[in-house]
Amino acid sequence: MQTWRRTFATSVARLGHSSTPNSRPALLRCAQILQASKKEEPCSLEDQEIKVNGLIRSVRKQKRFAFAEISDGSTVEPLQAILKPAQAADLSTGAAVEISGVWKACPPGKEQTHELQTTEVTVVGASDPETFPIQKKYQSTDFLRQIPHLRIRTPFQSLLARFRSECLFQLGNVFRSLPNGGFTQVQPPIITSSDCEGAGETFTLLARGAVTSSSTETDHFFRSPKYLTVSSQLHLEAYAAELGNVWTLTPVFRAEKSDTPRHLSEFYMLEAEANFLYDLDSLTGLVEHMLRDLTRRLYDSPVGQELLSMKRAGESGQESGADQSGLDLRQRWTALMDGPKWHRITYTQAIEKLQQAVAEKGASFKHPPTWDGGLQTEHEKYIVEVLHQGSPVFVTDYPKAIKPFYMAPSQVGENDSTPGETVACFDLLLPEVSEVAGGSLREHRLPNIIQNMREYGLIKERASANPDAPPSEPLYPHLSPTEDLGHLQWYADLRRWGSAPHGGFGLGFDRFLGYLSGVSSVRDIVSFPRYFGRADC
Ligand SMILES: NC(=O)C[C@H](N)C(=O)O
């Protein structure tokens, strides 16, 4: 029988090791080492000399041995190193080290299967444990948010960064393998001329030293005011006209003064546009298929499994930023992947049901639901959580008056009696996060888009230098001589030549990641969040 004793058998281990005396130990990532040690069969690295570079998560110094937990950002699980007291003298929490040693099996019954018997350790970047802000003990979400540059070094934030990376990788696969030959990824501009949503909540771009009140052409860096994009949709429509089906994941910017856990001033939007798309059902079907497929691929990935099995705050003693309500993430993912077809309900039906709930079921809302009033978050929550028992819902066909100018009219059946004009659009509602995606069929007919722009006040008055002079260019179709399409003319051009029915959607990527990770605030999903009053580093 083998007797388990913690001793330093460095020279013995070296002898049994196949490498030549001067050869360097293999540099490996913690994830590789720990993964190789989990398998049923004997670990191929056992008794081998290996090297790891990383940060010290914690160090425990005892009389005969010291134990250090090393993390290199490749897995949430730390790698344990055992050291002689002299080797550990300079080690402290937060320090960057290069450490090599022999990978030894641990006595049965220990939390870890193996540990690194240290032969050599070099502190390449010291860290003063007294002042290092990240401690192993519980630290509040609020405190950690104030130091995002160091918060990333907590196990859960580190995991979220890897999870996001996996999502990006898998998204490429999802879009490539969609039926009908896949979608092409494109990169639309971040600096734009137009506020696509018409909400006016844009950030204006100014060159350093520019005069803010200036309105003359030459004073503007780009000759006219430019903004940070609020949505790539309009440019995606240009791409889609040629490429067919396109997608992008870009940062978008909204200068909304909303101080809520659901809003950021800079966030990532996943947007897709499909040409020759004729009905709203095909669009909602595309969104459903894509999100189910993405979740499935993430579920099958090691980092997805790591996220699903990670101990949450409270259990691990380390603040994770995760929801602590005993939420069953695995169930949430399974429902997304394998649950029944997601519900579709028209906006008009939703309002009727909300009003019924008030009249008959004693539901009460801060904003009483009205057809003209749109859906507030409290209404969306009720629709998902009460009316649809927590499963995803597409709410379709909103009133035209509360939606942007580019949406096509609804195609709802004749017996559907809506109180006013509606458009062929949807919002996708998920429990907890509410609206996570929105999209529409686009008005693809030139006279109709021009009429919409007119109604929405987007057509400018033509500045005429000399009213008697003959017009220098022929009049734009469907415009009167006094009208000017201004910075949206290019968008109308897409309808002027070769315009097919099309549609697309935008998904709040950070909100969706929050939903998958069980993190209720987008401020904890994004490593460096920007929101009203805060953009710290
Ligand atoms: N691409 C889209 O349909 C998204 C839409 N423009 C939005 O910002 O919600």
Side-chain angles (χ1 to χ4, degrees):
M1 192 180 127
Q2 193 169 11
T3 48
W4 291 95
R5 257 187 322 131
R6 279 197 160 115
T7 52
F8 275 86
T10 311
S11 51
V12 177
R14 279 233 172 95
L15 285 177
H17 190 215
S18 59
S19 56
T20 55
N22 288 333
S23 76
R24 298 222 178 118
L27 176 64
L28 298 171
R29 305 294 311 266
C30 290
Q32 285 173 286
I33 303 167
L34 295 170
Q35 197 52 39
S37 314
K38 276 201 186 103
K39 306 219 174 84
E40 292 296 311
E41 66 264 26
C43 167
S44 60
L45 294 172
E46 202 164 295
D47 296 329
Q48 301 287 312
E49 190 157 10
I50 55 174
K51 180 177 176 185
V52 169
N53 293 338
L55 295 175
I56 305 271
R57 280 245 159 96
S58 67
V59 54
R60 235 174 342 119
K61 297 181 185 174
Q62 296 174 350
K63 228 191 203 147
R64 293 175 50 228
F65 300 111
F67 298 93
E69 289 193 340
I70 321 283
S71 153
D72 66 357
S74 61
T75 164
V76 273
E77 226 181 304
L79 181 144
Q80 176 158 295
I82 173 167
L83 307 101
K84 285 183 247 176
Q87 291 174 314
D90 293 337
L91 297 196
S92 60
T93 304
V97 294
E98 293 179 1
I99 186 163
S100 39
V102 182
W103 191 236
K104 281 281 181 192
C106 283
K110 292 275 161 203
E111 203 178 312
Q112 64 280 354
T113 61
H114 293 74
E115 61 192 4
L116 189 68
Q117 254 188 24
T118 308
T119 50
E120 201 177 335
V121 58
T122 314
V123 176
V124 292
S127 164
D128 175 5
E130 296 302 314
T131 52
F132 183 51
I134 305 293
Q135 301 293 329
K136 210 181 171 205
K137 66 178 183 8
Y138 175 84
Q139 291 182 295
S140 77
T141 317
D142 276 347
F143 169 74
L144 290 171
R145 272 187 202 148
Q146 290 163 27
I147 45 167
H149 58 301
L150 298 172
R151 180 178 71 162
I152 187 69
R153 298 190 195 181
T154 60
F156 191 66
Q157 282 292 323
S158 174
L159 171 61
L160 286 179
R162 279 183 297 112
F163 182 59
R164 178 180 283 263
S165 164
E166 184 69 26
C167 282
L168 298 185
F169 172 71
Q170 294 300 348
L171 264 178
N173 291 332
V174 167
F175 276 109
R176 240 158 221 267
S177 53
L178 277 169
N180 307 329
F183 279 53
T184 306
Q185 185 178 12
V186 293
Q187 299 193 297
I190 303 293
I191 299 176
T192 62
S193 308
S194 45
D195 162 11
C196 145
E197 300 307 304
E201 285 157 340
T202 49
F203 288 100
T204 307
L205 212 65
L206 279 183
R208 181 181 285 242
V211 187
T212 47
S213 58
S214 155
S215 59
T216 63
E217 239 188 40
T218 48
D219 291 333
H220 284 288
F221 187 90
F222 295 108
R223 292 211 278 153
S224 59
K226 298 290 161 195
Y227 312 95
L228 291 180
T229 185
V230 295
S231 161
S232 296
Q233 178 199 320
L234 307 194
H235 292 91
L236 286 192
E237 289 184 57
Y239 281 113
E242 164 59 23
L243 297 168
N245 298 328
V246 293
W247 74 280
T248 190
L249 182 67
T250 27
V252 298
F253 305 85
R254 307 235 169 141
E256 288 173 31
K257 292 186 177 165
S258 321
D259 190 12
T260 81
R262 304 174 61 242
H263 291 92
L264 289 176
S265 312
E266 173 185 312
F267 60 96
Y268 272 78
M269 185 135 81
L270 169 64
E271 295 184 89
E273 198 68 29
N275 206 16
F276 294 97
L277 185 97
Y278 295 87
D279 58 89
L280 198 57
D281 264 354
S282 308
L283 188 59
T284 53
L286 168 68
V287 175
E288 180 170 346
H289 174 91
M290 193 229 114
L291 292 180
R292 282 181 191 269
D293 190 26
L294 176 62
T295 311
R296 160 68 56 204
R297 286 169 194 268
L298 291 170
Y299 189 86
D300 292 339
S301 72
V303 64
Q305 285 304 318
E306 219 179 337
L307 185 74
L308 289 171
S309 32
M310 173 158 183
K311 284 187 195 153
R312 293 299 162 124
E315 290 173 60
S316 63
Q318 176 73 45
E319 168 62 13
S320 67
D323 191 318
Q324 296 172 44
S325 58
L327 150 100
D328 187 344
L329 271 194
R330 221 169 260 279
Q331 208 179 322
R332 177 177 279 192
W333 286 41
T334 312
L336 268 189
M337 294 181 293
D338 305 327
K341 188 174 180 223
W342 300 351
H343 303 278
R344 273 96 175 140
I345 176 176
T346 67
Y347 172 86
T348 305
Q349 290 164 344
I351 292 289
E352 280 166 9
K353 291 198 172 175
L354 289 170
Q355 289 171 339
Q356 242 172 37
V358 173
E360 295 162 22
K361 301 198 183 112
S364 80
F365 300 106
K366 218 167 124 217
H367 305 269
T370 63
W371 196 82
D372 301 306
L375 294 178
Q376 307 293 327
T377 307
E378 57 175 342
H379 303 142
E380 294 177 341
K381 280 194 182 304
Y382 193 90
I383 294 172
V384 191
E385 275 148 30
V386 182
L387 297 178
H388 295 93
Q389 294 87 41
S391 40
V393 195
F394 288 102
V395 180
T396 67
D397 301 282
Y398 283 64
K400 180 175 179 180
I402 59 171
K403 287 290 178 187
F405 75 99
Y406 50 69
M407 294 189 176
S410 285
Q411 304 161 318
V412 280
E414 275 174 14
N415 48 8
D416 193 293
S417 57
T418 54
E421 255 186 286
T422 59
V423 278
C425 66
F426 74 85
D427 275 2
L428 172 62
L429 311 182
L430 291 182
E432 190 176 322
V433 282
S434 293
E435 185 205 333
V436 74
S440 69
L441 298 185
R442 319 303 188 189
E443 178 51 80
H444 74 286
R445 299 160 298 179
L446 183 63
N448 305 55
I449 196 89
I450 287 183
Q451 182 52 28
N452 279 359
M453 288 161 77
R454 200 173 274 128
E455 284 168 20
Y456 283 74
L458 296 170
I459 297 190
K460 309 270 172 293
E461 213 170 303
R462 180 174 288 278
S464 52
N466 174 4
D468 303 329
S472 53
E473 351 172 332
L475 208 56
Y476 200 89
H478 312 286
L479 278 197
S480 80
T482 58
E483 290 179 322
D484 191 340
L485 289 171
H487 60 74
L488 277 174
Q489 181 166 325
W490 71 269
Y491 186 66
D493 280 353
L494 300 178
R495 276 71 181 160
R496 189 171 177 184
W497 298 291
S499 172
H502 62 283
F505 68 89
L507 170 108
F509 189 60
D510 308 290
R511 275 190 197 171
F512 187 63
L513 290 192
Y515 184 69
L516 289 181
S517 350
V519 175
S520 49
S521 172
V522 278
R523 295 173 186 180
D524 299 320
I525 269 292
V526 170
S527 302
F528 294 92
R530 275 88 177 86
Y531 49 95
F532 184 50
R534 299 305 286 263
D536 293 343
C537 55

